[in-house]
Amino acid sequence: MELTATVGDYINVFASIIIMPCVAITFVMWICHDIGMAMKNKDNWCMKVYKALSKIHIPIGTIACVLGIYHTIFATIKHGWQGITLGNVTFILFMLGFIVFLLRKKIGGIWLPLHRFFYGAAIVTMLLHCVPFIKFIFTFILPWLLTGNFPS
């Protein structure tokens, strides 16, 4: 079977590959903050990592949201509506976290726990969503994108 990769396919794979490190960076920031706050000395290495990563958190989160929107729309158009899937749930949870961030001044002090809840739940569903695709990506998608021929 021979399939031809379109520009949209390349962008979709690129988007899904970029989203993972963006999410990992913000997760590391979250963990460093919690560990750093638990330490006696508040001027520790965890808090330094947290402060450095917090400067890029919003741009990285924005990149992840934009690429996630593209990935979700492209996958839905390409494969059709599959009902409620882990990918759709992941998208909804990330968007809820983003909406909570946008409404933080109206919501008040509860916005950060809500933001973290949606974000943490989105990480779990994203990992569950990605696991079945890892083998497929390395045995079919990556060779297809590199050679232009779909392995049979």
Side-chain angles (χ1 to χ4, degrees), residues 2-109:
E2 187 166 325
L3 298 173
T4 305
T6 65
V7 172
D9 292 313
Y10 287 104
I11 294 170
N12 189 42
V13 171
F14 175 75
S16 59
I17 290 169
I18 296 300
I19 291 169
M20 292 295 279
C22 290
V23 171
I25 288 169
T26 56
F27 183 72
V28 168
M29 181 191 81
W30 180 9
I31 296 299
C32 283
H33 176 267
D34 290 350
I35 292 171
M37 290 302 288
M39 293 180 172
K40 288 181 183 177
N41 176 11
K42 299 301 179 206
D43 188 29
N44 57 61
W45 68 272
C46 282
M47 290 308 288
K48 290 176 183 171
V49 170
Y50 165 73
K51 287 175 185 172
L53 293 179
S54 67
K55 292 177 182 171
I56 60 171
H57 174 65
I58 292 174
I60 284 180
T62 303
I63 289 167
C65 283
V66 168
L67 293 176
I69 290 168
Y70 178 85
H71 178 70
T72 302
I73 291 170
F74 183 85
T76 302
I77 291 169
K78 180 102 176 172
H79 305 292
W81 175 252
Q82 303 286 321
I84 301 298
T85 63
L86 282 171
N88 293 335
V89 172
T90 300
F91 173 74
I92 291 166
L93 289 168
F94 272 123
M95 288 303 109
L96 286 171
F98 180 65
I99 290 166
V100 166
F101 166 74
L102 293 177
L103 298 175
R104 67 190 180 279
K105 291 183 181 171
K106 290 189 186 273
I107 296 172

